[in-house]
């Protein structure tokens, strides 16, 4: 199969249309057949539920080429299950886990020419999402939906090496206690745009959100979970007592790598913001960057909280964790069974 004529190394995180998208419609109480379509537009009623009451959930994962030339993706069953849970929380019909995994394979196979080659650092980003397409005017769940997957080639997250970033503690809240912070839905992003634009304008890479009930505990950033490292080399992962942190697949995988492969001590517990000066490393984790090291956090009073090497280097524990997980993803390090799933 001939690859597209693309300068893979210069791709950024932007949308490029590929050959096919996947679609499946829900009508009369059932999901229909698998559709591969070259049409990248969705035409629907102005009264569709998505436009009025925001019934939308999504996922993000990537397909990439291993050293020995296989096209694989990482733990798609976890994305399938999380989207199932997200859909149920906002009264959408969940898309079956096995069909989700099969749809990911179908759409990647239909776009093999767009999967970046090994060594380019680029990947094929996979964005499954579901929207309410049926008409609703009174407030209630729609009766018709579309599950869809678009794929698009994207560049390496870090060009020219991993660099620590600066964060600010947000004066805004991301998620209500016992609200929807634990599901992956567009509605959680709409209200995070204002604080995100503000943080960027002030020179910060992202926000650190505290729990909205007490403003005492660390929750997460706009789109990544936090990891901390103690002075004696243990990993500490914030837990929410109001269930408002999104269950990152990267974070759950890193916890398992830390415990089972690297033999680190791992604590998953609520983390008070006033403890963070005791940590020597901090990072944000998610599919896009795996781990983004955090050099410093500036609090609401303007005080700087600097971790270990600050803005200069990535700390050794997070660097090791990142190298181990990316090694497993690339097929260079043996990981737990079923994590790397072959597509072609
Ligand atoms: C997607 C997402 C993450 C990261 O999850 P991964 O499964 O690791 O990619 C973290 N926080 C939020 C709010 C997210 O939407």
């Amino acid at each position: 199969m001939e690859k597209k004529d693309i300068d893979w190394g210069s791709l950024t995180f932007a949308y490029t249309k590929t050959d096919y998208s996947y679609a499946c419609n829900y009508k009369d109480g059932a999901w229909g057949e698998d559709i591969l379509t070259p049409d990248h537009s969705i035409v629907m009623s102005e009264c569709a539920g998505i436009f009025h009451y925001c019934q939308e959930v999504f996922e993000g994962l990537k397909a990439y080429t291993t050293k020995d030339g296989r096209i694989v993706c990482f733990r798609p069953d976890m994305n399938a299950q999380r989207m199932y849970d997200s859909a149920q929380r906002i009264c959408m019909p969940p898309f079956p886990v096995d069909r989700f995994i099969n749809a990911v394979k179908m759409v990647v196979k239909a776009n093999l020419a767009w999967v970046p080659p090994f060594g380019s650092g680029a990947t094929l980003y996979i964005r499954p999402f579901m929207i309410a397409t049926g008409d609703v005017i009174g407030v209630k769940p729609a009766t018709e939906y579309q599950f869809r997957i678009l794929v698009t080639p994207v560049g390496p997250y870090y060009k020219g090496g991993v660099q620590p970033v600066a964060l600010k503690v947000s004066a805004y809240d991301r998620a209500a206690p016992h609200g929807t912070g634990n599901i992956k839905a567009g509605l959680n992003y709409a209200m995070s745009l204002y604080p995100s634009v503000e943080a960027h304008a002030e020179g910060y890479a992202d926000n650190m959100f505290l729990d909205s009930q007490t403003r005492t505990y660390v929750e997460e950033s706009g789109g990544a979970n936090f990891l901390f490292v103690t002075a004696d080399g243990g990993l500490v992962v914030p837990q929410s007592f109001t269930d408002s942190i999104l269950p990152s697949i990267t974070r759950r995988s890193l916890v398992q790598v830390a415990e089972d492969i690297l033999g680190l001590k791992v604590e998953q517990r609520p983390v008070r913001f006033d403890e963070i000066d005791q940590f020597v490393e901090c990072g944000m984790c998610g599919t896009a960057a795996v781990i983004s090291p955090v050099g410093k956090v500036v609090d609401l009073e303007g005080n700087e909280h600097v971790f270990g090497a600050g803005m200069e280097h990535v700390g050794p524990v997070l660097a090791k964790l990142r190298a181990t997980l990316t090694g497993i993803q690339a097929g260079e390090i043996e990981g737990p069974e079923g994590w790397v799933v072959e597509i072609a």
Side-chain angles (χ1 to χ4, degrees), residues 82 174 184 189 220 222-225 246 248-250 285-287:
R82 188 169 63 189
R174 189 192 83 90
K184 209 165 176 79
Y189 278 80
E220 61 175 316
N225 285 181
L246 192 281
S248 156
I249 294 163
T250 314
C285 66
T287 295

Side-chain angles (χ1 to χ4, degrees), residues 15 57 81 127 150 166 189 212 232-233 264 271 306 314 325 333:
Y15 174 58
V57 294
Q81 185 60 50
R127 166 56 59 87
L150 71 82
Y189 278 80
S212 54
D232 62 358
L264 303 182
V271 174
V306 180
V314 185
L325 189 62
I333 298 173

Side-chain angles (χ1 to χ4, degrees), residues 9 12 48 53 98-99 107 126 147 181 200 207 239 256 267 269 331 338:
T12 58
Y53 307 121
D98 57 334
R99 287 199 66 185
V107 72
I126 304 168
F147 170 77
H200 289 159
N207 284 291
Q239 222 176 30
Q256 207 172 322
E267 290 173 74
R269 60 168 175 84

